[in-house]
């Protein structure tokens, strides 16, 4: 159960988060993720991913950090009916549970390609300009490297998105200097400073930073 909001701002953010409904398949996948330590994207962030995938009619999507399938399912539900999700994770057991989630939601094996491995080893093998959307939710200190790969992978008009962009309210606090917080803060600077990208910070979930690739 979410904590009781203590201010109007917190109440508004809680309302926005609770606006997004997760069905039983997503709820079960969320519980699996929490049980194995693969903390999934919150419903607001998941709904934003589905919205973005629908808005750009995404057919080819890359996900960095499969977890147990929560974010992947949100993405699949927003993608075209003939779309393929390529999801990368270092944990085979997490991917096994994700495959179970996708099957329970009615998505066949042809709609999902799961690749076990370190993202920075796998992403360079994927095709330049071959993807509509890249979603990243893995090692925070590698977010800058994921961004560089995502810009290469995306077609013009494609979208890159990062979960935990507010990182438990730490990113906005300059006194917080732990390595993960610093890396996410630096990511924001990289995105804003890249003339090829048009960025949007969404205070849903734990923060979702998205950017459209406007040019090669």
């Amino acid at each position: 159960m979410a904590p009781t909001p203590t201010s109007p701002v917190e109440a508004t953010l809680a309302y926005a988060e609770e606006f997004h409904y997760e069905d039983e398949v997503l709820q079960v996948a969320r519980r699996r993720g929490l049980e194995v330590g693969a903390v999934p994207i919150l419903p607001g962030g998941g709904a934003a991913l589905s919205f973005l995938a629908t808005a750009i009619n995404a057919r080819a999507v890359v996900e960095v950090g499969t977890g147990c399938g929560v974010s992947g399912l949100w993405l699949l539900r927003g993608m075209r009916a003939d779309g393929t999700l390529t999801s990368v994770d270092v944990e085979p057991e997490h991917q096994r549970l994700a495959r179970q989630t996708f099957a329970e939601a009615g998505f066949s094996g042809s709609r999902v390609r799961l690749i076990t491995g370190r993202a920075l080893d796998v992403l360079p093998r994927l095709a330049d300009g071959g993807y509509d959307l890249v979603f990243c939710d893995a090692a925070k200190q590698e977010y800058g490297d994921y961004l560089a790969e995502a810009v290469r992978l995306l077609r013009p008009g494609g979208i890159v998105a990062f979960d935990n962009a507010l990182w438990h309210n730490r990113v906005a606090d300059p006194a917080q200097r732990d390595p993960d917080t610093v890396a996410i803060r630096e990511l924001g600077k990289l995105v804003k400073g890249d003339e090829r990208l048009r960025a949007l910070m969404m205070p849903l979930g734990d923060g979702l930073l998205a950017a459209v690739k406007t040019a090669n």
Side-chain angles (χ1 to χ4, degrees):
M1 181 179 296
T4 301
T6 58
S7 72
V9 171
E10 289 182 348
T12 296
L13 292 174
Y15 174 84
E17 188 66 30
E18 293 166 4
F19 183 83
H20 305 99
Y21 170 74
E22 288 190 322
D23 62 13
E24 185 176 355
V25 177
L26 277 167
Q27 291 175 26
V28 170
R30 180 171 299 282
R31 288 196 295 270
R32 288 179 186 140
L34 294 174
E35 287 170 0
V36 300
V39 179
I41 193 169
L42 289 169
L49 291 178
S50 190
F51 177 91
L52 292 172
T54 301
I56 63 172
N57 198 29
R59 182 176 184 179
V61 175
V62 174
E63 177 183 49
V64 179
T66 308
C68 292
V70 173
S71 54
L73 185 50
W74 278 110
L75 286 164
L76 284 163
R77 287 176 169 173
M79 294 166 60
R80 291 170 43 159
D82 61 346
T84 300
L85 173 69
T86 298
S87 190
V88 183
D89 202 293
V90 295
E91 295 290 345
E93 176 62 11
H94 294 178
Q95 291 194 320
R96 184 188 70 79
L97 293 171
R99 193 180 297 280
Q100 183 176 342
T101 293
F102 301 145
E104 290 168 352
F107 289 99
S108 67
S110 63
R111 292 291 311 278
V112 182
R113 177 172 63 153
L114 299 180
I115 302 175
T116 304
R118 182 171 172 265
L120 294 180
D121 294 330
V122 174
L123 296 178
R125 304 202 301 264
L126 303 182
D128 293 10
Y131 296 88
D132 304 302
L133 194 155
V134 177
F135 171 60
C136 305
D137 185 11
K140 309 312 171 191
Q141 293 176 50
E142 295 181 351
Y143 266 17
D145 295 320
Y146 299 161
L147 175 64
E149 288 293 332
V151 172
R152 178 184 63 79
L153 293 172
L154 288 171
R155 61 165 175 82
I159 294 174
V160 59
F162 293 85
D163 191 28
N164 305 118
L166 298 176
W167 198 230
H168 315 305
N169 301 313
R170 299 175 69 86
V171 171
D173 181 356
Q176 303 297 327
R177 302 292 302 171
D178 63 278
D180 285 347
T181 300
V182 170
I184 297 170
R185 197 177 287 137
E186 181 62 25
L187 170 73
K189 295 176 183 177
L190 290 172
V191 170
K192 287 197 296 183
D194 193 322
E195 294 182 353
R196 298 167 297 178
L197 301 174
R198 185 164 297 129
L200 174 66
M201 176 68 77
M202 291 175 271
L204 291 167
D206 194 28
L208 188 73
L209 174 59
V212 178
K213 180 179 175 181
T214 60
N216 284 317

